[in-house]
């Protein structure tokens, strides 16, 4: 990141020229409508199909922004996902009814330059139609949801034109790829084989031989306010084109849940100075006049003045039927509705089973887990009579209280409590002992494995199978975003167990499992912590009891920190390996005699 002191000196010495044209006093304000978990920094870790698991803060944030804009009699352009319009149609209609412009960010929060042309057009057209049907007004503008266009991406504007848009606001100009053309910094017309459209780029300021983004977003949050305000003032003094500002709806929200998965830099990028726009935006709206892109085009002095006439001359857009993407992420029918609609099958035809979930200091994960379990229970309800048993391993935070608040009134859920901290394996064994069903599963509280894989794992527990284990190291399994050190440790230990115990088991340390209870409780298990999962697999191996692996994807935990102590865990596993290897050798010797 640029040093603020160097930046300030560069801004102070920008040569705008004696004859620099003066600009009209009306500027452009744009708002990217997205929930905190849809922000770009989380894209590696959160798939669209899992958006339903998060506690939405979108409506409260949008309402706060609407009230703020109303108090300053300011209108803005709101770039909205088609998915959001499906999930929150009344909110999107309210934005439009208050006089703000509703424009498109595509259907899903994704980078359309990475899609096939068919999928790209489907995304562009589907979102425009949904927004127009929701608001009853034409949708003329588009901004890519994930990242910004560079000069090398502008080939995609042909599809934006074909999808019926009159302007794009996805270009973040950079001098290094501009080819010396200054036009990318200001509102201008762009040509493509299929026609023309206006480009409305967020504002940048020349400095140090480059162009610094000064339009808002993360730049306004990270750099000192006085410095960025001075940069904006320089724009106002030097440029004819309106200043184009943007912000994300979640940037006013300083109380959103914090996800640790993104690492230190990601946490700084996303969480530093959250809430700053609560006072920064009113200050800007007081000093300068802002309006929406659509309203700005009605000003005869606006570079967008021809936008309305431009639209009348535009030929009819391509009408490519959008595919049903409910398999990618929940829509208004497949998402929220599933959380409240449940199947009511004949209870006598369902298989009874219990899911044990050990918890230790998991207060940040429990709301996410709660929504996940709502969907899981609904999906399993036609075949399985599922009971859930939480085991609080003497948490020192509010985990126990939150468990009782979230699940205490549910007759199919019980909460047990350890008076002392015993470890994750001890909590699983407590759950196994307390279960009233022969089929018992266990999973981590952080959902690092997709709990919906239980639908595929449960049928694998045949009468002669003692354990079904999720296996990321299976040839058909995988890992996503898990730190390399953890993979090296876990995979290396699994290799050692496989070699020393001579069993073709790719993963020995997973907590995501299905057990045949009667074949587990008689094992002489002594390890209470993370080693207990490997010890259980080793003891089953020594007794020649069947273990079935199911390929699964292991993901980094989103909330909180791992409880595992790396060095201690390595040493303990080595001791356990030594112990079970000696037992195997002694068992083999006794058989030989």
């Amino acid at each position: 990141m640029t040093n603020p002191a160097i930046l300030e000196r560069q801004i102070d010495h920008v040569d705008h020229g004696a004859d620099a044209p003066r600009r009209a006093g009306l500027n452009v304000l744009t708002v990217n409508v997205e929930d905190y978990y849809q922000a770009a920094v989380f894209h590696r870790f959160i798939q669209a199909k899992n958006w339903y698991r998060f506690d939405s803060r979108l409506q409260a944030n949008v309402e706060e922004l609407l009230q703020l804009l109303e108090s300053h009699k300011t209108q803005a352009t709101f770039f909205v996902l088609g998915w959001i319009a499906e999930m929150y149609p009344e909110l999107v209609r309210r934005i439009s009814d208050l006089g703000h412009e509703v424009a498109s960010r595509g259907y899903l929060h994704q980078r359309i330059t990475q899609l096939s042309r068919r999928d790209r057009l489907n995304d562009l057209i589907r979102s425009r139609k949904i927004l127009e049907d929701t608001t009853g007004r034409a949708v003329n503008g588009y901004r890519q949801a994930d990242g910004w266009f560079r000069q090398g991406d502008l080939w995609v504007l042909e599809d934006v034109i074909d999808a019926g848009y009159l302007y794009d606001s996805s270009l973040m100009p950079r001098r290094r790829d501009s080819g010396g053309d200054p036009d990318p910094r200001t509102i201008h017309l762009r040509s493509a084989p299929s026609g023309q459209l206006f480009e409305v780029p967020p504002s940048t300021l020349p400095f140090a031989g480059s162009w610094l983004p000064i339009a808002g977003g993360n730049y306004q949050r990270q750099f000192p306010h006085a410095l960025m305000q001075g940069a904006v003032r320089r724009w106002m003094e030097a440029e004819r084109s309106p200043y184009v500002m943007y912000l994300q709806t979640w940037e006013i929200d300083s109380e959103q849940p914090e996800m640790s998965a993104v690492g230190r830099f990601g946490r700084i990028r996303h969480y530093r100075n959250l809430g700053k726009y609560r006072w920064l935006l009113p200050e800007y709206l007081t000093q300068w006049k802002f309006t929406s892109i659509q309203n700005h085009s009605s000003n005869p002095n606006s570079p967008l003045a021809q936008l309305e006439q431009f639209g009348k001359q535009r030929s009819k857009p391509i009408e490519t039927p959008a595919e049903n993407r409910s398999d990618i992420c929940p829509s208004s029918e497949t998402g929220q509705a599933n959380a409240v609609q449940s199947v009511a099958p004949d209870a006598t035809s369902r298989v009874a089973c219990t899911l044990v979930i050990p918890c230790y200091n998991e207060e940040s994960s429990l709301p996410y887990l709660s929504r996940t379990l709502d969907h899981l229970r609904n999906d399993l309800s036609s075949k399985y009579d599922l009971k859930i048993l939480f085991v609080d391993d003497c948490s020192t935070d509010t985990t126990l209280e939150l468990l009782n608040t979230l699940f205490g009134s549910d007759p199919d859920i019980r909460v047990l409590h350890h008076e002392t901290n015993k470890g994750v394996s001890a909590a699983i064994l407590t759950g196994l002992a307390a279960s009233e069903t022969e089929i018992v599963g266990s999973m981590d509280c952080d959902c690092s494995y997709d709990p919906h894989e239980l639908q595929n794992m449960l049928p694998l527990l045949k009468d002669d199978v003692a354990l079904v284990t999720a296996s990321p190291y299976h040839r058909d399994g995988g890992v996503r975003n898990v730190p390399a050190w953890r993979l090296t440790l876990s995979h290396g230990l699994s290799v050692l167990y496989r070699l020393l115990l001579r069993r073709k088991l790719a993963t020995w340390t997973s907590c995501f499992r299905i057990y045949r209870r009667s074949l587990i409780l008689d094992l002489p298990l002594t390890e209470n912590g993370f080693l207990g999962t490997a010890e259980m697999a080793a003891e089953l191996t020594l007794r020649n009891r069947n273990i079935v692996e199911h390929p699964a994807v292991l993901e980094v935990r989103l909330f909180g920190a791992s409880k595992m102590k790396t060095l201690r865990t390595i040493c303990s596993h080595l001791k356990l390996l030594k112990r079970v290897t000696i037992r195997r050798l002694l068992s083999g010797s006794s058989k030989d005699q």
Side-chain angles (χ1 to χ4, degrees), residues 32-59:
N32 297 335
V33 181
E34 63 186 32
D35 227 325
Y36 64 96
Y37 55 81
Q38 295 169 327
V41 72
F42 301 124
H43 281 189
R44 287 176 49 206
F45 310 98
I46 301 172
Q47 300 177 68
K49 68 178 183 178
N50 293 332
W51 284 350
Y52 75 90
R53 299 182 181 182
F54 292 87
D55 179 16
S56 176
R57 303 176 67 84
L58 178 69
Q59 297 188 72

Side-chain angles (χ1 to χ4, degrees), residues 437-587:
T437 60
E438 174 68 354
I439 299 174
V440 182
S442 69
M443 60 170 277
D444 295 301
C445 192
D446 58 17
C447 296
S448 50
Y449 292 97
D450 185 353
H452 289 84
E453 284 297 325
L454 286 172
Q455 297 177 86
N456 301 316
M457 295 170 64
L458 282 164
L460 300 178
L461 193 74
K462 307 297 184 182
D463 291 342
D464 62 340
V465 175
L467 175 68
V468 178
T469 182
S471 178
Y473 309 131
H474 187 282
R475 63 179 179 274
D476 296 322
V479 295
R480 295 182 71 244
N481 304 306
V482 179
W485 66 267
R486 181 180 170 185
L487 287 180
T488 301
L489 169 61
S490 180
H491 192 267
L493 289 170
S494 291
V495 170
L496 287 176
Y497 279 106
R498 182 168 66 248
L499 293 175
L500 293 175
L501 290 172
R502 297 180 183 176
R503 184 163 199 160
K504 292 182 179 180
L505 194 64
T507 303
W508 293 72
T509 56
S510 172
C511 287
F512 189 31
R513 292 174 166 178
I514 307 293
Y515 314 90
R516 186 160 296 282
R517 181 173 178 269
S518 60
L519 297 181
I520 301 297
L521 290 180
D522 66 337
L523 298 177
L525 302 176
T526 60
E527 298 292 344
N528 289 331
F530 290 98
L531 271 68
T533 55
E535 182 190 31
M536 183 184 294
E539 290 292 344
L540 290 173
T541 296
L542 292 173
R543 285 163 174 74
N544 292 317
R545 295 178 182 174
N546 290 334
I547 301 175
V548 174
E549 285 189 283
H550 173 71
V553 176
L554 173 66
E555 302 190 59
V556 65
R557 64 180 293 143
L558 295 175
F559 300 95
S562 172
K563 316 302 190 297
M564 185 172 63
K565 305 300 182 183
T566 307
L567 184 59
R568 182 188 305 173
T569 300
I570 293 174
C571 294
S572 299
H573 270 290
L574 292 176
K575 292 178 181 178
L576 177 59
L577 280 163
K578 177 181 177 181
R579 191 171 77 237
V580 298
T581 302
I582 291 173
R583 284 188 56 200
R584 185 187 65 79
L585 293 174
L586 292 176
S587 175

Side-chain angles (χ1 to χ4, degrees), residues 152-169:
D153 298 323
L154 295 183
W155 54 267
V156 81
L157 293 182
E158 181 175 0
D159 293 334
V160 177
I161 293 171
D162 285 342
Y165 297 97
L166 303 183
Y167 72 84
D168 172 75
S169 187

